[in-house]
Amino acid sequence: MLNRPPQDTLRVATYNIQKCIGLDLRRRPERTLQVMAGLGADIVVLQEADKRLPPRPAALPHFLVEETGWLAADLGGAGSLGWHGNAVLFKDGVKLLDKGHIPLPGLEPRGAVWVLLETALGPVRVIGAHLGLTGRARREQMHALARAAQREDSAVVLAGDFNEWSRGTVLQHIAPGLTFLPPKASFPALRPLGALDRIAHCRRLKALAHGVHGARPAHIASDHLPVWADLRVV
């Protein structure tokens, strides 16, 4: 397990859980939650948290989420954990103030979610997203997220699976108000090559540390490894 950060920091993580199906092709929600426990995070943004076919029930069952001490923002419906597979979980000590959806353009059905949370750092708006597979769609979707991140009422964190293989400043150029943490390879889990999973923050925050969580069973629980960051108010 990662060491806990200092009390005046907030640990945020993002994790594409691939519907809780591991590289052994077994659906094991308990294993996914074991990986999440090892993160030591206050807030976890999830992608592919629901099954694909309507009514898109939660791949990570609500009762298991609650039994393991997580709280889930109610972003879905009909048993879903999130919206378009995006979900946000948080621990005691973090309070949900507001929530909503961000429709994203593109031919694929994509969308992002946001939650306003009261945290040890004050109010923080966390945006979770899973972007498209084509470069054009990702750019259009990133513009929508950049507009959603222009908030005056709170600090902002953007996290998710951006499906962007380039390690350049493509995302930073589209959202200059956000600082994307240096890319670290998180995909595929067994031999990470691509930094698809990213975390960005507004200028009110700074990152003291960030990394990729590869401790077992993360290497087999999904095709992605989770990425985490310790944030503090500037």
Side-chain angles (χ1 to χ4, degrees):
M1 182 179 292
L2 294 170
N3 292 328
R4 287 291 301 159
Q7 289 187 351
D8 59 345
T9 64
L10 186 73
R11 179 166 288 175
V12 178
T14 181
Y15 189 20
N16 184 330
I17 64 174
Q18 197 185 217
K19 305 173 187 66
C20 297
I21 299 175
L23 297 183
D24 56 359
L25 302 182
R26 299 177 65 189
R27 188 188 299 276
R28 294 184 57 190
E30 299 89 348
R31 181 170 58 188
T32 301
L33 287 162
Q34 182 182 351
V35 175
M36 290 169 53
L39 288 167
D42 303 292
I43 303 164
V44 179
V45 177
L46 300 179
Q47 302 84 50
E48 298 193 28
D50 299 321
K51 297 178 182 179
R52 183 177 298 275
L53 297 177
R56 297 184 177 87
L60 192 59
H62 290 263
F63 78 92
L64 283 179
V65 170
E66 295 170 0
E67 284 181 359
T68 49
W70 292 98
L71 301 170
D74 182 10
L75 294 161
S80 298
L81 191 64
W83 190 62
H84 284 284
N86 299 293
V88 182
L89 307 186
F90 49 95
K91 288 288 192 178
D92 283 336
V94 176
K95 180 181 178 182
L96 178 66
L97 301 176
D98 203 356
K99 57 185 171 58
H101 299 159
I102 305 170
L104 296 180
L107 295 178
E108 297 177 85
R110 298 275 178 173
V113 298
W114 64 268
V115 294
L116 181 62
L117 300 170
E118 185 63 45
T119 75
L121 306 185
V124 176
R125 187 175 299 270
V126 177
I127 301 172
H130 188 183
L131 300 192
L133 297 176
T134 68
R136 179 176 179 178
R138 286 195 299 275
R139 290 190 295 272
E140 293 176 349
Q141 292 162 3
M142 194 62 221
H143 279 293
L145 293 175
R147 291 191 294 271
Q150 294 175 347
R151 304 293 302 192
E152 300 287 341
D153 59 341
S154 64
V156 176
V157 177
L158 170 63
D161 177 356
F162 290 87
N163 269 319
E164 180 59 60
W165 284 87
S166 170
R167 298 200 181 201
T169 56
V170 176
L171 302 175
Q172 189 78 57
H173 282 320
I174 297 175
L178 296 174
T179 298
F180 278 83
L181 300 182
K184 293 180 180 288
S186 58
F187 177 87
L190 280 178
R191 186 176 293 181
L193 298 171
L196 308 188
D197 307 284
R198 304 288 301 274
I199 296 175
H201 59 81
C202 70
R203 295 189 180 97
R204 300 188 194 187
L205 302 173
K206 65 178 179 180
L208 301 185
H210 78 289
V212 177
H213 181 71
R216 293 173 179 266
H219 71 297
I220 196 173
S222 169
D223 56 349
H224 289 250
L225 296 174
V227 173
W228 58 271
D230 291 339
L231 304 174
R232 177 180 287 170
V233 173
V234 174

